[in-house]
mmCIF file of all heavy atoms in Angstrom:
data_model
loop_
_atom_site.group_PDB
_atom_site.id
_atom_site.type_symbol
_atom_site.label_atom_id
_atom_site.label_comp_id
_atom_site.label_asym_id
_atom_site.label_seq_id
_atom_site.Cartn_x
_atom_site.Cartn_y
_atom_site.Cartn_z
ATOM 1 N N LEU T 1 24.245 11.043 11.124
ATOM 2 C CA LEU T 1 23.439 10.782 9.931
ATOM 3 C C LEU T 1 23.793 9.435 9.322
ATOM 4 O O LEU T 1 24.953 9.009 9.368
ATOM 5 C CB LEU T 1 23.681 11.900 8.910
ATOM 6 C CG LEU T 1 22.879 13.161 9.070
ATOM 7 C CD1 LEU T 1 23.319 14.162 7.997
ATOM 8 C CD2 LEU T 1 21.386 12.934 8.957
ATOM 9 N N ASN T 2 22.774 8.788 8.805
ATOM 10 C CA ASN T 2 22.947 7.546 8.067
ATOM 11 C C ASN T 2 23.606 6.474 8.954
ATOM 12 O O ASN T 2 24.503 5.766 8.522
ATOM 13 C CB ASN T 2 23.821 7.776 6.787
ATOM 14 C CG ASN T 2 23.526 6.741 5.686
ATOM 15 O OD1 ASN T 2 22.525 6.059 5.768
ATOM 16 N ND2 ASN T 2 24.430 6.681 4.768
ATOM 17 N N GLY T 3 23.109 6.381 10.167
ATOM 18 C CA GLY T 3 23.613 5.391 11.096
ATOM 19 C C GLY T 3 22.881 4.073 10.988
ATOM 20 O O GLY T 3 22.085 3.830 10.055
ATOM 21 N N PRO T 4 23.078 3.199 11.972
ATOM 22 C CA PRO T 4 22.425 1.846 11.930
ATOM 23 C C PRO T 4 20.910 1.917 11.805
ATOM 24 O O PRO T 4 20.265 1.076 11.155
ATOM 25 C CB PRO T 4 22.864 1.247 13.253
ATOM 26 C CG PRO T 4 24.140 1.894 13.608
ATOM 27 C CD PRO T 4 23.993 3.297 13.107
ATOM 28 N N SER T 5 20.293 2.890 12.448
ATOM 29 C CA SER T 5 18.829 2.981 12.386
ATOM 30 C C SER T 5 18.325 3.295 10.972
ATOM 31 O O SER T 5 17.227 2.868 10.625
ATOM 32 C CB SER T 5 18.288 4.047 13.368
ATOM 33 O OG SER T 5 18.800 5.311 13.017
ATOM 34 N N THR T 6 19.135 3.964 10.190
ATOM 35 C CA THR T 6 18.779 4.222 8.781
ATOM 36 C C THR T 6 18.619 2.903 8.029
ATOM 37 O O THR T 6 17.674 2.666 7.267
ATOM 38 C CB THR T 6 19.847 5.101 8.055
ATOM 39 O OG1 THR T 6 20.085 6.265 8.848
ATOM 40 C CG2 THR T 6 19.392 5.497 6.682
ATOM 41 N N THR T 7 19.561 1.980 8.296
ATOM 42 C CA THR T 7 19.529 0.649 7.677
ATOM 43 C C THR T 7 18.310 -0.118 8.132
ATOM 44 O O THR T 7 17.667 -0.820 7.332
ATOM 45 C CB THR T 7 20.787 -0.135 7.988
ATOM 46 O OG1 THR T 7 21.971 0.636 7.607
ATOM 47 C CG2 THR T 7 20.859 -1.453 7.304
ATOM 48 N N GLU T 8 17.951 0.011 9.385
ATOM 49 C CA GLU T 8 16.783 -0.687 9.915
ATOM 50 C C GLU T 8 15.480 -0.161 9.258
ATOM 51 O O GLU T 8 14.580 -0.923 8.960
ATOM 52 C CB GLU T 8 16.691 -0.484 11.437
ATOM 53 C CG GLU T 8 17.849 -1.231 12.202
ATOM 54 C CD GLU T 8 17.847 -0.866 13.647
ATOM 55 O OE1 GLU T 8 16.874 -0.204 14.128
ATOM 56 O OE2 GLU T 8 18.819 -1.228 14.340
ATOM 57 N N VAL T 9 15.417 1.174 9.084
ATOM 58 C CA VAL T 9 14.247 1.744 8.411
ATOM 59 C C VAL T 9 14.159 1.257 6.993
ATOM 60 O O VAL T 9 13.060 0.870 6.504
ATOM 61 C CB VAL T 9 14.317 3.339 8.489
ATOM 62 C CG1 VAL T 9 13.245 3.878 7.588
ATOM 63 C CG2 VAL T 9 14.150 3.799 9.908
ATOM 64 N N GLU T 10 15.288 1.258 6.312
ATOM 65 C CA GLU T 10 15.305 0.780 4.905
ATOM 66 C C GLU T 10 14.848 -0.698 4.847
ATOM 67 O O GLU T 10 14.074 -1.077 3.947
ATOM 68 C CB GLU T 10 16.715 0.907 4.339
ATOM 69 C CG GLU T 10 16.793 0.536 2.877
ATOM 70 C CD GLU T 10 18.188 0.780 2.296
ATOM 71 O OE1 GLU T 10 19.138 0.799 3.087
ATOM 72 O OE2 GLU T 10 18.279 0.986 1.059
ATOM 73 N N ALA T 11 15.263 -1.493 5.805
ATOM 74 C CA ALA T 11 14.836 -2.905 5.836
ATOM 75 C C ALA T 11 13.360 -3.046 6.032
ATOM 76 O O ALA T 11 12.702 -3.929 5.442
ATOM 77 C CB ALA T 11 15.609 -3.629 6.935
ATOM 78 N N PHE T 12 12.787 -2.144 6.902
ATOM 79 C CA PHE T 12 11.328 -2.169 7.133
ATOM 80 C C PHE T 12 10.599 -1.829 5.834
ATOM 81 O O PHE T 12 9.632 -2.494 5.466
ATOM 82 C CB PHE T 12 10.981 -1.135 8.218
ATOM 83 C CG PHE T 12 9.775 -1.532 9.053
ATOM 84 C CD1 PHE T 12 9.870 -1.599 10.424
ATOM 85 C CD2 PHE T 12 8.550 -1.756 8.432
ATOM 86 C CE1 PHE T 12 8.738 -1.947 11.193
ATOM 87 C CE2 PHE T 12 7.400 -2.062 9.205
ATOM 88 C CZ PHE T 12 7.524 -2.143 10.564
ATOM 89 N N TYR T 13 11.048 -0.768 5.137
ATOM 90 C CA TYR T 13 10.422 -0.427 3.865
ATOM 91 C C TYR T 13 10.464 -1.595 2.878
ATOM 92 O O TYR T 13 9.510 -1.966 2.221
ATOM 93 C CB TYR T 13 11.161 0.722 3.199
ATOM 94 C CG TYR T 13 11.087 2.065 3.871
ATOM 95 C CD1 TYR T 13 11.852 3.133 3.400
ATOM 96 C CD2 TYR T 13 10.302 2.314 4.981
ATOM 97 C CE1 TYR T 13 11.817 4.390 4.004
ATOM 98 C CE2 TYR T 13 10.247 3.552 5.622
ATOM 99 C CZ TYR T 13 11.032 4.581 5.096
ATOM 100 O OH TYR T 13 10.992 5.827 5.710
ATOM 101 N N PHE T 14 11.655 -2.220 2.800
ATOM 102 C CA PHE T 14 11.892 -3.322 1.855
ATOM 103 C C PHE T 14 10.978 -4.527 2.200
ATOM 104 O O PHE T 14 10.385 -5.130 1.311
ATOM 105 C CB PHE T 14 13.386 -3.730 1.883
ATOM 106 C CG PHE T 14 13.724 -4.854 0.924
ATOM 107 C CD1 PHE T 14 13.860 -4.612 -0.412
ATOM 108 C CD2 PHE T 14 13.854 -6.178 1.404
ATOM 109 C CE1 PHE T 14 14.173 -5.654 -1.334
ATOM 110 C CE2 PHE T 14 14.164 -7.193 0.511
ATOM 111 C CZ PHE T 14 14.317 -6.913 -0.839
ATOM 112 N N GLU T 15 10.900 -4.839 3.507
ATOM 113 C CA GLU T 15 10.080 -5.960 3.910
ATOM 114 C C GLU T 15 8.630 -5.794 3.526
ATOM 115 O O GLU T 15 7.922 -6.745 3.177
ATOM 116 C CB GLU T 15 10.211 -6.119 5.449
ATOM 117 C CG GLU T 15 9.428 -7.310 5.995
ATOM 118 C CD GLU T 15 9.532 -7.451 7.500
ATOM 119 O OE1 GLU T 15 10.375 -6.719 8.115
ATOM 120 O OE2 GLU T 15 8.745 -8.237 8.073
ATOM 121 N N MET T 16 8.159 -4.524 3.556
ATOM 122 C CA MET T 16 6.770 -4.259 3.229
ATOM 123 C C MET T 16 6.608 -3.979 1.718
ATOM 124 O O MET T 16 5.480 -3.719 1.251
ATOM 125 C CB MET T 16 6.264 -3.043 4.040
ATOM 126 C CG MET T 16 6.223 -3.252 5.508
ATOM 127 S SD MET T 16 5.264 -4.746 5.992
ATOM 128 C CE MET T 16 3.654 -4.350 5.328
ATOM 129 N N GLY T 17 7.663 -4.048 0.976
ATOM 130 C CA GLY T 17 7.582 -3.901 -0.494
ATOM 131 C C GLY T 17 7.228 -2.457 -0.882
ATOM 132 O O GLY T 17 6.600 -2.236 -1.901
ATOM 133 N N VAL T 18 7.671 -1.472 -0.064
ATOM 134 C CA VAL T 18 7.366 -0.081 -0.366
ATOM 135 C C VAL T 18 8.618 0.581 -0.938
ATOM 136 O O VAL T 18 9.682 0.536 -0.349
ATOM 137 C CB VAL T 18 6.892 0.647 0.924
ATOM 138 C CG1 VAL T 18 6.751 2.160 0.657
ATOM 139 C CG2 VAL T 18 5.620 0.092 1.416
ATOM 140 N N ASP T 19 8.440 1.221 -2.085
ATOM 141 C CA ASP T 19 9.548 1.928 -2.750
ATOM 142 C C ASP T 19 9.160 3.365 -2.783
ATOM 143 O O ASP T 19 8.423 3.830 -3.671
ATOM 144 C CB ASP T 19 9.729 1.376 -4.167
ATOM 145 C CG ASP T 19 10.936 2.010 -4.874
ATOM 146 O OD1 ASP T 19 11.798 2.599 -4.153
ATOM 147 O OD2 ASP T 19 11.039 1.922 -6.091
ATOM 148 N N LEU T 20 9.648 4.179 -1.832
ATOM 149 C CA LEU T 20 9.356 5.570 -1.791
ATOM 150 C C LEU T 20 10.185 6.398 -2.774
ATOM 151 O O LEU T 20 11.309 6.028 -2.999
ATOM 152 C CB LEU T 20 9.587 6.113 -0.343
ATOM 153 C CG LEU T 20 8.731 5.535 0.779
ATOM 154 C CD1 LEU T 20 9.191 6.080 2.130
ATOM 155 C CD2 LEU T 20 7.264 5.837 0.573
ATOM 156 N N ALA T 21 9.595 7.402 -3.314
ATOM 157 C CA ALA T 21 10.346 8.287 -4.221
ATOM 158 C C ALA T 21 11.188 9.250 -3.410
ATOM 159 O O ALA T 21 10.781 10.345 -3.096
ATOM 160 C CB ALA T 21 9.369 9.041 -5.111
ATOM 161 N N VAL T 22 12.388 8.807 -3.026
ATOM 162 C CA VAL T 22 13.245 9.590 -2.141
ATOM 163 C C VAL T 22 14.145 10.474 -2.982
ATOM 164 O O VAL T 22 14.821 9.999 -3.888
ATOM 165 C CB VAL T 22 14.119 8.648 -1.280
ATOM 166 C CG1 VAL T 22 15.089 9.448 -0.439
ATOM 167 C CG2 VAL T 22 13.232 7.751 -0.449
ATOM 168 N N GLU T 23 14.108 11.758 -2.678
ATOM 169 C CA GLU T 23 14.911 12.718 -3.448
ATOM 170 C C GLU T 23 15.705 13.627 -2.490
ATOM 171 O O GLU T 23 15.105 14.320 -1.677
ATOM 172 C CB GLU T 23 13.995 13.636 -4.320
ATOM 173 C CG GLU T 23 13.227 12.865 -5.392
ATOM 174 C CD GLU T 23 12.334 13.779 -6.190
ATOM 175 O OE1 GLU T 23 12.464 15.024 -6.025
ATOM 176 O OE2 GLU T 23 11.565 13.279 -7.036
ATOM 177 N N ASP T 24 17.003 13.550 -2.627
ATOM 178 C CA ASP T 24 17.908 14.499 -1.890
ATOM 179 C C ASP T 24 17.728 14.438 -0.373
ATOM 180 O O ASP T 24 18.106 15.397 0.315
ATOM 181 C CB ASP T 24 17.685 15.937 -2.342
ATOM 182 C CG ASP T 24 17.953 16.094 -3.833
ATOM 183 O OD1 ASP T 24 18.861 15.414 -4.328
ATOM 184 O OD2 ASP T 24 17.250 16.884 -4.484
#
């Protein structure tokens, strides 16, 4: 859980300017 691919996904969201309402 929460490995390198998690960081890559977060970077993709950030690059596209998407802020998802992530809960728990």
Side-chain angles (χ1 to χ4, degrees):
L1 277 176
N2 206 17
S5 62
T6 308
T7 305
E8 293 172 10
V9 170
E10 185 175 24
F12 209 125
Y13 293 174
F14 181 78
E15 182 181 349
M16 296 306 300
V18 174
D19 185 17
L20 296 175
V22 177
E23 296 179 8
D24 300 325

